[in-house]
Amino acid sequence: MQLYNKLSAKEREALLEEAGEDRLTLSFYAYAKIGNPHLFRNHLFIAWDQMEVLGRIYVAHEGINAQLSVPAKRFDEFKEFIDRIYFLKGVRLNIAIEHDLKSFLKLKVKVRKKIVADGLNDDTFDVRNKGVHVDAAKFNELISDPNTVLVDMRNHYESEIGHFDGAVTPDVDTFRDSLPIIEEDLKEHKEDKNLVMYCTGGIRCEKASAYYKHKGFKNVYQLEGGIIEYARQVNNQQLENKFLGKNFVFDHRRAECISGEVISSCHQCGKPCDTHVNCANEACHLLFIQCPECAEKMNNCCSEECMEINALPYEEQKKLRKGKGNSNKIFKKGRSEVLKYKS
Ligand SMILES: [Zn+2]
Ligand SMILES: [Zn+2]
C-alpha cells in the first residue's frame, strides 16, 4: 500500500515515531476542475472533522489548497480518504519538519473564487503546461549553473527572513505583482537562460511556471514541494543546504528554521532579528520584525502612536477604531513608514 507519495516505509515510520501521539502538520494542493465546490467542501468538512483534522483549506472551481494538521495515529485513515478522491490520489503531501501541536486550532474549509489569489485569467493559458519539477538535489545543481536565473516567487516579507543564496527577491506585496516585474527583468533571456523558481510549498510556482512558459520562456523549472520539501530532502539525504535563514509559513509558528543564520534585522533598532510579530494595537496589527528588547520597550507596538492607543481602556480603543478598517495595514505587511530599519 502506498502511504506517502515519496517516502519509503522506513522514512514514514521515523516520521510517525518522531510525532508520537502528536499531530503531523502538512500541506497539499491540486489544480482540478471541481464542478460544485460547496458540495466538495461539505464532503471534506464532514470527513475531516470526524478525523480531528485541523487547518485552513481553500476550495474553488480550480482546485484545492490545504494547510492542516492530522493526529499522527489517524494519518493512514486520512491518506486513504484523500486517495479516494480521483484528483487527489497520490498527491504529494508536504510534511513540515517541526511538528507543533498548536499549528492549527480549528478546521476551516472555505469556498473561494481561486485557491491562490494570483490575479491571472485562467483562460489565457493552460495551467497544466507547467515548468519542470525538480527535487532538492537537481535544484542545487541547477542553481549553481551560471546560466540560471533563480527567482523567489514569494512576497517581500517572506523572502526578507530567508531565501536561497543568489535568488532574485522581487519587492512586492503579492504574487500578482511579481509576475510582470520578473518578466520585464528577464525579457532578454527567454530562450538562453534557465528560469528556476521556488516558493513556500510549490503552489505559486505551479501557476507561475505555466505563465512564463506561455510568455515564451523556454527553460522553466520549479522546486517541487517548495522550500518545505527542500528542507526535508536536504535533511534526509544529507545534501548541501543552500537556503539561508527561515522559511515563512502561514500558521501560528510564522516560520520554520532552516539554516542557523539570521539574515534580517529588527525594523526598529536594526539589530539582527528574524521574528515577525503583529503590532499589539488591534487597530493597526501591522506585521513586522521586532526584537525582544524593542518589544519590551515599545509594549509590542510598531510606533509611539500605537503604544498610546494600546494603553487606552478597551472601550475607548473600540470607539477610536469604529469605521476604520485595519485591513490596509495588514496588507502592507512591514512597509509602514513608522519602521526605521525597514529596507
Ligand atoms: Zn530591535
Ligand atoms: Zn502599530
Side-chain angles (χ1 to χ4, degrees):
M1 181 167 62
Q2 190 186 12
L3 291 157
Y4 274 72
N5 214 11
K6 283 193 170 167
L7 290 186
S8 68
K10 218 174 161 193
E11 281 177 307
R12 181 179 158 271
E13 201 180 287
L15 195 67
L16 286 176
E17 207 164 88
E18 190 189 307
E21 285 299 297
D22 293 344
R23 307 182 70 91
L24 293 168
T25 303
L26 54 94
S27 62
F28 68 88
Y29 60 82
Y31 281 101
K33 289 262 177 276
I34 299 174
N36 187 338
H38 288 275
L39 202 65
F40 182 57
R41 180 259 162 223
N42 292 344
H43 175 59
L44 295 181
F45 189 87
I46 291 163
W48 288 353
D49 188 44
Q50 181 263 326
M51 287 177 215
E52 299 167 75
V53 170
L54 301 172
R56 190 171 50 233
I57 296 99
Y58 297 129
V59 174
H61 282 296
E62 69 174 13
I64 177 170
N65 183 10
Q67 271 141 2
L68 46 83
S69 80
V70 188
K73 60 175 188 286
R74 305 195 72 164
F75 180 77
D76 288 354
E77 194 187 334
F78 175 79
K79 184 72 176 101
E80 274 166 30
F81 173 82
I82 294 272
D83 278 343
R84 284 199 298 270
I85 298 166
Y86 78 96
F87 60 86
L88 293 179
K89 190 170 169 53
V91 72
R92 192 199 48 256
L93 302 176
N94 288 314
I95 296 160
I97 301 179
E98 294 169 20
H99 300 294
D100 186 329
L101 277 172
K102 290 178 285 182
S103 55
F104 294 102
L105 302 170
K106 283 181 187 164
L107 175 62
K108 289 185 183 169
V109 188
K110 292 185 176 167
V111 175
R112 285 267 171 102
K113 269 206 164 121
K114 299 223 173 184
I115 57 171
V116 181
D118 50 31
L120 295 174
N121 180 355
D122 292 4
D123 300 336
T124 61
F125 67 99
D126 187 353
V127 184
R128 290 167 304 180
N129 183 20
K130 59 198 177 193
V132 178
H133 280 150
V134 293
D135 62 12
K138 176 73 183 165
F139 182 82
N140 277 353
E141 192 185 300
L142 266 173
I143 67 175
S144 334
D145 181 343
N147 205 36
T148 289
V149 179
L150 177 62
V151 180
D152 191 320
M153 292 308 304
R154 301 170 305 152
N155 308 327
H156 71 93
Y157 58 88
E158 298 172 280
S159 54
E160 185 174 6
I161 59 165
H163 54 249
F164 280 102
D165 202 8
V168 178
T169 55
D171 185 27
V172 294
D173 285 323
T174 68
F175 174 70
R176 182 173 31 228
D177 297 339
S178 66
L179 293 170
I181 293 175
I182 296 162
E183 193 191 342
E184 179 60 26
D185 282 359
L186 299 179
K187 63 177 186 227
E188 306 295 324
H189 300 290
K190 285 188 176 180
E191 297 195 6
D192 62 328
K193 294 219 175 191
N194 300 319
L195 177 57
V196 181
M197 56 186 75
Y198 67 93
C199 61
T200 312
I203 188 167
R204 285 177 269 189
C205 292
E206 203 73 6
K207 226 176 206 181
S209 66
Y211 174 83
Y212 288 118
K213 282 182 79 174
H214 169 71
K215 291 287 180 181
F217 288 88
K218 292 283 178 262
N219 313 299
V220 183
Y221 300 88
Q222 53 177 327
L223 178 58
E224 187 177 17
I227 301 158
I228 297 172
E229 177 63 14
Y230 177 88
R232 213 185 57 77
Q233 289 181 14
V234 162
N235 248 359
N236 286 353
Q237 301 166 23
Q238 305 291 310
L239 303 173
E240 186 193 349
N241 171 41
K242 298 194 181 223
F243 189 90
L244 310 170
K246 278 183 178 173
N247 181 24
F248 190 101
V249 292
F250 295 91
D251 59 50
H252 92 116
R253 297 170 301 154
R254 290 274 165 74
E256 274 190 340
C257 209
I258 296 189
S259 75
E261 65 269 74
V262 176
I263 66 163
S264 51
S265 317
C266 169
H267 287 164
Q268 289 174 324
C269 71
K271 259 200 316 216
C273 176
D274 56 10
T275 309
H276 274 102
V277 297
N278 284 109
C279 177
N281 173 15
E282 284 293 314
C284 170
H285 211 249
L286 180 72
L287 181 72
F288 69 109
I289 299 175
Q290 187 178 45
C291 75
E293 288 79 37
C294 289
E296 204 185 327
K297 205 169 75 192
M298 301 293 295
N299 266 333
N300 305 307
C301 289
C302 76
S303 61
E304 307 267 334
E305 193 197 340
C306 283
M307 267 174 89
E308 279 170 30
I309 296 172
N310 201 42
L312 296 172
Y314 183 71
E315 281 306 311
E316 247 168 88
Q317 287 188 42
K318 246 174 102 180
K319 258 186 242 160
L320 277 175
R321 206 148 60 204
K322 222 173 166 198
K324 286 192 219 158
N326 63 1
S327 57
N328 188 37
K329 278 204 173 153
I330 293 176
F331 193 69
K332 280 189 168 169
K333 295 173 175 116
R335 280 190 187 280
S336 171
E337 52 294 337
V338 300
L339 303 171
K340 267 190 271 177
Y341 287 87
K342 173 67 196 148
S343 46

